Amino acid sequence: MAVRATVSRFPTDSDSQEASGVPWGLTVTPFASKDENDQAPAYGSDGHLLPRCENCYAYFNTYCELDQWAWNCSLCGTLNGLSAEAIARYSRPQSCAEMMSSFIDLELPLEGSEEEMLHARPVYVAAVDLSSSEEFLELIKSALLATLEALAPGSLFGLATFSHKIGLYDVQGPIPVVKNVFAPQETEGSLPIELEDVMPLLQFLAPVETCKDRITSTLETLRPTTAWERTPGSGQVLDGVLMGGRGFGVAMEALCNYLGSEYGNTFALARVFAFLSGPPDYGPGQLDTRRYGEQYASKGEDADRALLPEQTPFYKDLAAVAVQAGVCVDIFAVTNEYTDLASLKFLSIESGGSLFLYSNTDDSTLPQDMYRMLSRPYAFNCVLRLRTSTEFKSGHSYGHFFPDPQYENVQHIICCDSFATYAYDFDFANNVGFSRHSSELPMVQIAFQYTVVVPPEELSSSGVVSSSRGKHSLKRRLRIRTLQYGTAKNLDELYDSVDPEAVLSLLVHKVILASLEQGVREGRILLHDWLVILTAQYNEACNLIRYKNGSSSITAQIDVTFSQCPQLQLLPRLVFALLRNPLLRFHEEGVHPDYRIYMQCLFSALEPSSLYRAIYPMLTSYSTPDTQAYPRHSLSRAALITSGSPIFFLDAFTTLIVFYSSTADPSLPFPPPHDCLLRSTINQLKQDRCITPKLVFIRGGHDDATVFENYLIEEQDVDGSGLTSVMGFVSFLEDITQSVLEYLK
């Protein structure tokens, strides 16, 4: 569980928080196996016996004062009695994880019978769009072959297809059989027959280890409906409407109901991989894609505002159905046409899944993403709870979860991997703040309860009885992190404790929220104004502003680069880069609305270091493929020219670019050989990512370098009105200076 606060020394009261201009909060990556300092938790058992405070329900931790019979809660100060069992346990402190570390991971007893626990198996279902092309299906076949390689033995796999009908495949017999049911064409229609009556679920879900070859051969039979069902001669034209549409909504609804019957019996979590080649345009859940087009120009509407909200609650409601059925949906959209991900995204992010977008089939990293996603561990049925000491409280919470309807600051996460990150901002609970004279420091406790599926080989190595051979087991665990923070005596101390990457995380969440509620323009204004206010308050705090006698005019130069505070110096560049990012670029600048939604979903789940790299790419140079020249350059053409290096490597998180300058020695091998330093750096970066970055090689003077030059953002600018111009980063700073002077008048 990695936790990063925006400031490691908290403001003492609401006045100092307001005066600082720095967002106050933290990010948490609950299922990360280690903390932000690479330390693993202390593991233990009997999590249900861990003492809890009678007042605030916080868990006992190493910061609590403990005597023979009682303990003081480190969050609220309440004195709590100890049970006889706890007294006996704590007489041997070295045997208890909670006495040894403030970061613990304890096993909990499972609710339900042991038999149910042993029979729970991982279930995966692929739902493939047949209203597509041959190229799309070839890509999906490759992705599913990679999926089959990544799935653990004992997993169950089902293959379904959708178009104007839903197809279910039985691969357990000697010959694969497909059974189809026609989907209703009307938006209010329903299937004429339940999927369970078309094919029993346990006939549909095949054991991977015994049926892998038959699943593979079945994949080869998939053909797009367009090839044989959409021709007018086939009798599929009804009332002038050409059939063969994409009945995605009805297929997802039917699959959730189908799988839900075995939730808690055959499986504890079912993952549905939905492969989509365009917008749902048939039956329930169909979307009107005509809202994307030239009509905004004629009506004078703000396209950036109009295209961000969902046009129907269908997929948000369906996500709730999926959660109740124990189903997590991952959506993989492979398309460059408008698909309205603004409406579809809820089905994935609110059911605990992910949303992926690939603009074409040629250079798609879908197979690698599938393999990577299924090869890493994940937790499910998770509950995340943040508690604080009494002086402050959690304000907004951000991330792909849904809040508990009953309890405050409790979030439910259906499926969580080791990269998934959530954020909170803080407010003071009263006007008093933290006492300057008290020895009691601000406390934060994060509790994360989760379930994992343990494969049979891990069970046997841990000594579980042989009756579990070949079967998976569920384990319920409780991970707790208790943190103590200092307080800043003054603003200088607070500024020196800033974590710029954590600040960026909170800013990104806030501007995404503002964009969704008020439009992209408002998101941009919020970000620009935040930097102006921070700069003004920093200059005032450092006594850099001098006023002429009896006048409001300022004599001193505004320090817009935060020269006296290294921790703040990154922020102007990060804000500048964020304003240049597709997340906040305008519709008229060519940003596709689906791509913007994809970026919102991706960025709002990234941990701070990854988000920083996605917003502000890293540019390094090499004198040869085996020798690094400079570790970091500014993102400008001037940096390329002045460095004199022949090879540049740009890491933009989703894209990695190797660029050979036009003046590079022709004897340098291109592309770089597989056994060089540059290649090993690239391979390491790819291995550490939650998604597979696209790798591009460009030879200056020979290849089109536009994709590389687009990342040299300091050559471009955003002025105060939010419109792009030909100026650069220096001009952006001048604009901020002018805005600060206006603000201080």
Side-chain angles (χ1 to χ4, degrees):
M1 183 187 289
V3 179
R4 291 178 63 174
T6 55
V7 284
S8 56
R9 289 184 170 275
F10 285 3
T12 50
D13 52 35
S14 53
D15 289 341
S16 57
Q17 182 203 351
E18 195 73 29
S20 73
V22 177
W24 180 30
L26 55 74
T27 67
V28 55
T29 312
F31 197 53
S33 59
K34 295 182 177 177
D35 68 13
E36 64 283 0
N37 299 314
D38 214 30
Q39 298 296 310
Y43 287 94
S45 56
D46 296 326
H48 62 299
L49 299 179
L50 188 63
R52 299 186 69 174
C53 176
E54 294 167 5
N55 177 45
C56 71
Y57 299 103
Y59 292 92
F60 175 82
N61 58 81
T62 53
Y63 293 103
C64 297
E65 290 179 15
L66 177 69
D67 63 27
Q68 191 173 358
W69 313 106
W71 59 282
N72 282 83
C73 176
S74 59
L75 274 74
C76 72
T78 301
L79 182 67
N80 297 275
L82 284 171
S83 65
E85 294 94 329
I87 292 169
R89 273 170 58 125
Y90 296 149
S91 65
R92 305 184 306 278
Q94 294 309 307
S95 66
C96 306
E98 65 267 28
M99 294 287 281
M100 295 188 290
S101 174
S102 59
F103 179 22
I104 58 175
D105 193 299
L106 308 178
E107 196 164 328
L108 291 169
L110 271 168
E111 295 172 3
S113 74
E114 191 176 356
E115 187 180 33
E116 282 180 10
M117 174 182 83
L118 289 175
H119 279 83
R121 302 177 73 171
V123 164
Y124 304 92
V125 174
V128 182
D129 179 3
L130 294 186
S131 300
S132 56
S133 64
E134 290 282 2
E135 293 80 11
F136 171 84
L137 288 181
E138 284 305 313
L139 176 66
I140 303 313
K141 289 171 192 175
S142 300
L144 290 177
L145 290 175
T147 300
L148 292 173
E149 291 306 314
L151 295 184
S155 302
L156 298 175
F157 180 84
L159 176 63
T161 56
F162 60 89
S163 55
H164 64 285
K165 58 188 179 183
I166 299 169
L168 302 178
Y169 287 77
D170 175 4
V171 298
Q172 297 188 62
I175 299 171
V177 173
V178 58
K179 293 187 177 178
N180 293 299
V181 56
F182 282 94
Q185 193 173 348
E186 308 77 29
T187 53
E188 299 299 320
S190 58
L191 286 181
I193 183 173
E194 292 291 330
L195 295 188
E196 181 66 35
D197 297 328
V198 176
M199 184 181 293
L201 183 61
L202 297 181
Q203 197 176 321
F204 171 70
L205 296 173
V208 169
E209 66 269 32
T210 57
C211 297
K212 188 183 285 187
D213 291 344
R214 275 174 289 198
I215 296 169
T216 302
S217 58
T218 304
L219 292 175
E220 291 304 318
T221 67
L222 296 182
R223 296 286 180 272
T225 53
T226 47
W228 48 281
E229 283 182 285
R230 284 192 173 185
T231 56
S234 67
Q236 293 293 321
V237 178
L238 297 175
D239 300 327
V241 178
L242 190 64
M243 283 188 66
R246 191 175 290 109
F248 175 70
V250 68
M252 289 297 106
E253 190 172 39
L255 280 173
C256 287
N257 293 330
Y258 188 32
L259 292 165
S261 63
E262 285 295 317
Y263 176 41
N265 184 17
T266 299
F267 68 88
L269 177 78
R271 296 188 72 166
V272 173
F273 307 128
F275 300 101
L276 203 56
S277 69
D281 56 7
Y282 190 89
Q286 62 182 273
L287 299 170
D288 181 6
T289 55
R290 291 173 301 180
R291 73 177 189 154
Y292 176 59
E294 298 302 317
Q295 72 267 37
Y296 296 108
S298 58
K299 291 181 183 175
E301 288 186 50
D302 181 354
D304 298 304
R305 284 195 70 171
L307 294 170
L308 284 171
E310 72 272 26
Q311 60 171 289
T312 169
F314 180 88
Y315 292 99
K316 197 166 194 168
D317 296 343
L318 185 51
V321 173
V323 168
Q324 290 300 313
V327 174
C328 159
V329 182
D330 296 288
I331 296 177
F332 302 88
V334 187
T335 175
N336 58 3
E337 65 176 308
Y338 177 59
T339 304
D340 192 15
L341 294 185
S343 297
L344 293 173
K345 69 176 182 183
F346 294 103
L347 178 57
S348 59
I349 62 175
E350 294 202 359
S351 70
S354 301
L355 176 69
F356 293 83
L357 176 65
Y358 308 91
S359 58
N360 59 61
T361 54
D362 299 337
D363 54 2
S364 169
T365 55
L366 173 59
Q368 297 93 316
D369 282 338
M370 291 292 297
Y371 186 83
R372 186 177 298 250
M373 183 173 79
L374 293 168
S375 299
R376 58 179 179 251
Y378 62 88
F380 57 95
N381 294 349
C382 316
V383 183
L384 184 64
R385 173 74 197 247
L386 178 134
R387 292 182 175 86
T388 64
S389 46
T390 52
E391 304 88 350
F392 68 113
K393 60 184 181 180
S394 169
H396 267 96
S397 49
Y398 308 91
H400 297 167
F401 49 62
F402 64 93
D404 190 277
Q406 189 175 357
Y407 298 104
E408 212 176 351
N409 297 326
V410 176
Q411 281 82 32
H412 294 266
I413 304 162
I414 306 305
C415 188
C416 179
D417 67 19
S418 54
F419 293 99
T421 300
Y422 309 89
Y424 298 87
D425 55 21
F426 295 138
D427 295 315
F428 278 96
N430 52 46
N431 296 326
V432 179
F434 303 113
S435 171
R436 294 173 189 274
H437 313 294
S438 169
S439 60
E440 292 172 5
L441 292 167
M443 301 291 303
V444 172
Q445 187 176 81
I446 300 160
F448 180 62
Q449 204 174 113
Y450 64 97
T451 302
V452 285
V453 176
V454 183
E457 62 271 18
E458 287 185 33
L459 284 174
S460 55
S461 64
S462 62
V464 176
V465 288
S466 58
S467 64
S468 68
R469 188 174 296 142
K471 295 177 180 176
H472 288 69
S473 167
L474 296 187
K475 277 202 170 21
R476 189 77 176 157
R477 303 192 69 89
L478 173 64
R479 184 173 291 184
I480 301 170
R481 182 92 190 272
T482 310
L483 301 112
Q484 188 178 67
Y485 291 94
T487 54
K489 297 187 186 72
N490 51 50
L491 286 180
D492 286 345
E493 269 194 11
L494 188 141
Y495 288 145
D496 286 339
S497 76
V498 164
D499 179 343
E501 292 181 357
V503 168
L504 177 67
S505 281
L506 253 73
L507 285 177
V508 167
H509 281 295
K510 288 172 187 288
V511 297
I512 287 174
L513 197 61
S515 299
L516 289 170
E517 290 178 353
Q518 299 165 284
V520 172
R521 197 173 301 274
E522 278 303 312
R524 295 175 66 86
I525 291 169
L526 172 82
L527 189 61
H528 179 274
D529 290 354
W530 172 79
L531 183 60
V532 169
I533 293 166
L534 174 71
T535 308
Q537 292 178 320
Y538 157 81
N539 276 268
E540 287 192 319
C542 296
N543 297 315
L544 300 174
I545 297 170
R546 299 281 184 273
Y547 295 95
K548 284 183 182 173
N549 289 338
S551 111
S552 63
S553 57
I554 296 167
T555 58
Q557 180 71 37
I558 297 291
D559 178 8
V560 76
T561 59
F562 301 99
S563 58
Q564 295 187 18
C565 183
Q567 296 305 107
L568 298 179
Q569 287 170 10
L570 271 176
L571 292 175
R573 263 195 168 82
L574 293 179
V575 169
F576 174 77
L578 187 48
L579 288 166
R580 294 299 310 152
N581 193 277
L583 194 70
L584 290 177
R585 296 274 288 277
F586 289 118
H587 183 67
E588 60 260 30
E589 293 179 69
V591 178
H592 196 287
D594 283 341
Y595 185 65
R596 193 194 308 279
I597 293 291
Y598 165 66
M599 298 298 271
Q600 287 181 352
C601 293
L602 175 65
F603 285 6
S604 55
L606 289 180
E607 55 85 31
S609 297
S610 299
L611 182 60
Y612 170 60
R613 186 60 61 243
I615 299 292
Y616 193 86
M618 167 91 88
L619 182 64
T620 53
S621 61
Y622 287 76
S623 47
T624 72
D626 259 318
T627 315
Q628 191 185 78
Y630 296 101
R632 181 186 286 272
H633 296 277
S634 62
L635 299 174
S636 65
R637 291 187 186 87
L640 305 188
I641 296 162
T642 55
S643 79
S645 300
I647 304 170
F648 294 88
F649 172 55
L650 185 127
D651 174 8
F653 190 74
T654 55
T655 309
L656 304 176
I657 300 175
V658 176
F659 177 78
Y660 280 53
S661 76
S662 55
T663 56
D665 185 337
S667 66
L668 286 171
F670 177 87
H674 284 278
D675 57 351
C676 69
L677 172 67
L678 178 52
R679 280 283 193 171
S680 59
T681 303
I682 289 168
N683 292 338
Q684 187 60 51
L685 285 172
K686 288 171 83 171
Q687 198 174 324
D688 295 341
R689 293 277 143 97
C690 59
I691 59 168
T692 310
K694 193 183 293 183
L695 180 58
V696 181
F697 296 102
I698 298 173
R699 198 168 210 163
H702 294 80
D703 307 322
D704 181 7
T706 308
V707 66
F708 175 66
E709 289 169 353
N710 284 345
Y711 284 109
L712 303 178
I713 54 173
E714 296 189 18
E715 297 292 334
Q716 308 158 44
D717 187 32
V718 179
D719 65 23
S721 65
L723 298 172
T724 55
S725 68
V726 292
M727 297 182 291
F729 179 60
V730 174
S731 304
F732 170 74
L733 292 181
E734 288 170 4
D735 168 69
I736 295 295
T737 303
Q738 288 306 311
S739 300
V740 170
L741 291 170
E742 291 285 321
Y743 176 78
L744 290 170
K745 277 183 182 175

